[in-house]
Amino acid sequence: MFTPQGPTLRELTVQALSSTERGYDLLAPKFDLTPFRTPDPVLDAVADALGPLGPFRAGLDICCGTGAGVDVLREVCVERVTGVDFSAGMLATARSAVLPKDGAGAGGSLGPAVDFVRADARALPFRASFDLAVSFGAFGHFLPSERPGLFTRVREVLRPGGTFAFPVPAPPRVGSRLYWTLWGFDAAMRARNAVWRPPFVMYYRTFRLTEVVDELTRTGFEVDLVALDGLGRLPDGAPRCRMVVARRP
């Protein structure tokens, strides 16, 4: 799962026993060498699906981590791209990785201006100034009870007509290796948080598509699902991954 240059078992253990924020500060320099980073094929598929919906003026990557999603926004936004995360370590890595590319951050003919802001996604410090918001692989860091508030805040930072988009993979087949891996991870995390403080919030099996669509709708979004066909289909014909497209009316 990990390259030789990735984090050691000791480093992962220290991270897991830290708070969520501190854990990502520690992991940031090697995060892109772990399987936790959103794979490039998923990022590319989302960029391809967003292309026909744009172009967008300003884009926001929520829980941007080391900046992989910021690169997606740079492909579909023409004026400004902002990455927001609560981990100072992840933001430092994102700045060093993203800003030097092709003069990013300068705007003009070299692409949209890029900036990074440290903030909690549950309290985004922006007005309604974005046309597109995305997020990749971060929703497991929010308890189900926190999602309605998160979605409400995202809606508030979008301009009328703005879009909130993110990929959701199909759940693993019950009884499969991946199913038991995710089940075991969540069980271990719940046990850890029951006996150790501060908590580290990360659960893989709490983000169910039907529940998320209902929550977005109740928040005031109009929701569509787009099959990311470039990622293939399951034996029953269902897409392996969908993109949720939630629009602020």
Side-chain angles (χ1 to χ4, degrees):
M1 292 179 66
F2 297 89
T3 67
Q5 296 77 31
T8 64
L9 179 60
R10 180 183 180 279
E11 288 172 329
L12 289 171
T13 300
V14 172
Q15 180 220 2
L17 294 176
S18 305
S19 67
T20 313
E21 179 180 344
R22 177 59 178 161
Y24 276 102
D25 286 346
L26 295 171
L27 185 60
K30 298 181 179 180
F31 180 81
D32 286 348
L33 301 174
T34 74
F36 306 131
R37 180 188 184 275
T38 302
D40 285 336
V42 175
L43 297 169
D44 293 341
V46 170
D48 290 343
L50 288 173
L53 305 180
F56 304 92
R57 290 167 55 195
L60 176 67
D61 184 7
I62 300 167
C63 304
C64 67
T66 55
V70 169
D71 279 341
V72 171
L73 290 177
R74 290 176 62 206
E75 295 186 35
V76 298
C77 297
V78 296
E79 292 183 5
R80 177 170 56 94
V81 170
T82 299
V84 62
D85 202 285
F86 76 158
S87 166
M90 297 291 268
L91 289 175
T93 301
R95 289 188 181 98
S96 64
V98 173
L99 292 183
K101 294 181 180 179
D102 303 322
S109 61
L110 297 178
V114 179
D115 68 319
F116 293 94
V117 176
R118 186 182 181 191
D120 191 316
R122 294 163 294 192
L124 294 170
F126 310 110
R127 298 180 179 178
S129 54
F130 295 96
D131 307 286
L132 173 64
V134 298
S135 192
F136 296 91
F139 293 114
H141 294 304
F142 302 95
L143 297 173
S145 61
E146 297 176 308
R147 287 201 305 257
L150 170 67
F151 293 159
T152 296
R153 192 69 195 105
V154 173
R155 184 181 182 277
E156 290 171 346
V157 303
L158 289 172
R159 295 185 177 108
T163 298
F164 180 29
F166 51 87
V168 179
R173 179 177 55 82
V174 175
S176 66
R177 185 175 183 178
L178 179 58
Y179 173 88
W180 289 116
T181 298
L182 299 183
W183 190 95
F185 180 95
D186 282 12
M189 191 60 67
R190 292 185 187 280
R192 178 255 189 242
N193 289 335
V195 301
W196 192 268
R197 293 291 184 272
F200 189 98
V201 178
M202 180 62 207
Y203 301 109
Y204 282 102
R205 300 179 65 249
T206 60
F207 198 73
R208 299 178 177 87
L209 182 58
T210 54
E211 296 174 1
V212 169
V213 169
D214 288 344
E215 290 165 356
L216 287 166
T217 302
R218 288 196 297 270
T219 303
F221 283 102
E222 297 174 348
V223 183
D224 292 313
L225 299 177
V226 177
L228 299 179
D229 286 325
L231 298 176
R233 289 186 173 261
L234 299 171
D236 64 0
R240 292 188 180 276
C241 190
R242 292 179 171 90
M243 183 175 73
V244 174
V245 179
R247 294 182 178 87
R248 176 177 178 175

